[in-house]
Amino acid sequence: MALEKIVGQGAPHLQARVVCEVSVAAGHRFPVHAITLGTADPQAPAVGFFGGVHGLERIGAQVVIAFLQHVVMRLRWDQTLTRLLEQVRLVFMPIVNPGGMWSATRANPRGVDLMRNAPVEAREKVPYLLGGQRLSAGLPWYRGRPGEPMEAESQALCDVVQNELLARPFSIALDCHSGFGVSDRLWFPFAHTREPIPHLAELHALKDIFLQAHSHHRYIIEPQSAQYLAHGDLWDHLYLQARAEHPEHTFLPLTLEMGSWLWIKKNPRQLFSRKGIFNPLIDHRQQRVLRRHLSLLDFLTRAACSHAHWTPGADTRDQRRAEALAHWYGARHTP
């Protein structure tokens, strides 16, 4: 397995642990790995990279694994990266839903969509089914039974985020998905309401420095609520938890939603494959996708490490938030 090989290659520099195991049909069991490297200083910033939350979206896991390999291979010779990791902590969960990936399903082996599984209810109307449903595990976007604990994979992700990211003064998370539209998008909470996130000023500042460093990027950066609302979003749940438990900290969860419809447009035959709807099936296109997003993951690492130099201070935060409201939410929320 590629992930286990990379872990072995990076053994002197990283720590890997199994945070839960998932059972599937025919007695197979798959581990969910969490991999960490960089400083252990609890006051240092951290970045978490997550993939494979939906088993059909293999390209998300591949992006995270490719970046992990990129870091591990560079550590053999790159002294600047070594010094960078003395100041920032990196966390990887490349395959959150191995059972779904094994069975080529969006949901986990119990039929639950992990990104609809958190105990968060939308405050406004959600799209039928797409926004999360409790009717049946036989239908897509199933949330699980009401009142039951979160699925083991969802809870494992939340535990890693809580222990590795939320307790730190500054952290960023990037969750890699595919399957929406023809453009690559970077979404931030909220998904359960159209109200703006409290850390809107920081997200707007992050967008600005990204534009300065990557002026020709192809991402649409926006709140998820600009597209649709949903129940049970894990990142809404974790952000609200961070606000309740560590209101003085800054936690910025992002979702990379790769636009898989473009791959279908270039190769319409992919429509006849379940995997093809969410992943580039032609090898050179897959390689291009992996190369394209490495710079984003590297940027987030460096932005977290240097967060004190770009996050708005007390004297500029209100103005920055007003600019963000006008940019993303229009007159409805502009002071």
Side-chain angles (χ1 to χ4, degrees):
M1 184 178 179
L3 179 59
E4 293 173 348
K5 181 179 178 180
I6 296 168
V7 169
Q9 292 170 332
H13 307 287
L14 56 78
Q15 302 79 44
R17 67 187 191 276
V18 174
V19 292
C20 76
E21 287 192 340
V22 179
S23 298
V24 297
H28 294 287
R29 293 184 65 83
F30 295 101
V32 177
H33 295 278
I35 301 156
T36 55
L37 66 159
T39 180
D41 180 358
Q43 295 302 305
V47 188
F49 301 104
F50 304 84
V53 171
H54 294 138
L56 276 174
E57 299 170 18
R58 292 174 177 267
I59 190 63
Q62 291 166 345
V63 166
V64 176
I65 291 171
F67 184 62
L68 176 61
Q69 183 178 34
H70 170 78
V71 171
V72 166
M73 293 298 103
R74 283 176 57 196
L75 279 172
R76 297 179 175 183
W77 55 268
D78 190 343
Q79 292 185 354
T80 60
L81 178 59
T82 300
R83 289 195 289 270
L84 178 71
L85 291 177
E86 292 172 353
Q87 304 173 66
V88 65
R89 187 163 180 82
L90 301 185
V91 182
F92 294 84
M93 287 186 71
I95 307 175
V96 176
N97 182 9
M101 192 164 291
W102 179 82
S103 58
T105 60
R106 174 184 171 95
N108 75 349
R110 285 164 44 88
V112 176
D113 186 329
L114 302 182
M115 202 44 67
R116 301 290 186 273
N117 188 223
V120 178
E121 301 295 324
R123 298 179 187 173
E124 299 146 59
K125 186 177 180 180
V126 304
Y128 181 65
L129 296 183
L130 172 65
Q133 54 85 17
R134 296 194 188 275
L135 300 174
S136 169
L139 297 172
W141 305 294
Y142 180 57
R143 300 183 60 195
R145 294 180 180 177
E148 286 192 347
M150 283 193 291
E151 296 296 296
E153 303 94 328
S154 302
Q155 188 61 58
L157 184 150
C158 291
D159 290 344
V160 169
V161 171
Q162 184 175 24
N163 294 331
E164 294 285 353
L165 302 184
L166 302 192
R168 295 172 179 271
F170 184 92
S171 60
I172 297 174
L174 181 71
D175 185 13
C176 297
H177 290 256
S178 64
F180 184 90
V182 296
S183 300
D184 295 333
R185 286 174 157 79
L186 280 173
W187 283 339
F188 56 85
F190 289 122
H192 75 288
T193 176
R194 290 187 174 84
E195 290 300 311
I197 190 173
H199 282 103
L200 198 64
E202 287 76 8
L203 287 161
H204 193 260
L206 181 65
K207 176 179 180 286
D208 270 4
I209 64 168
F210 184 64
L211 287 173
Q212 293 163 16
H214 301 277
S215 57
H216 301 293
H217 76 85
R218 299 177 53 167
Y219 300 104
I220 297 173
I221 304 173
E222 62 185 0
Q224 183 176 334
S225 61
Q227 298 300 327
Y228 64 88
L229 299 181
H231 301 294
D233 186 90
L234 286 174
W235 297 110
D236 280 21
H237 170 64
L238 286 163
Y239 181 79
L240 293 171
Q241 182 178 338
R243 293 290 296 166
E245 297 179 1
H246 305 283
E248 74 283 7
H249 292 180
T250 298
F251 172 54
L252 305 179
L254 304 171
T255 296
L256 168 59
E257 188 72 33
M258 289 173 270
S260 65
W261 299 357
L262 182 61
W263 309 325
I264 297 171
K265 181 180 179 181
K266 291 182 176 180
N267 182 25
R269 287 177 296 177
Q270 291 192 191
L271 273 173
F272 300 99
S273 164
R274 294 179 68 192
K275 295 179 182 178
I277 297 174
F278 299 96
N279 306 281
L281 297 185
I282 299 175
D283 186 65
H284 75 268
R285 290 195 182 121
Q286 177 180 331
Q287 296 303 316
R288 187 183 304 143
V289 170
L290 297 180
R291 290 194 301 270
R292 178 187 303 160
H293 298 299
L294 284 183
S295 59
L296 170 65
L297 278 64
D298 183 69
F299 165 80
L300 293 176
T301 300
R302 296 176 183 277
C305 184
S306 303
H307 68 94
H309 297 281
W310 58 265
T311 49
D315 57 334
T316 61
R317 197 170 189 277
D318 287 347
Q319 178 60 34
R320 173 68 75 171
R321 181 171 174 82
E323 293 171 0
L325 286 169
H327 175 68
W328 279 313
Y329 295 89
R332 182 166 64 94
H333 288 288
T334 302

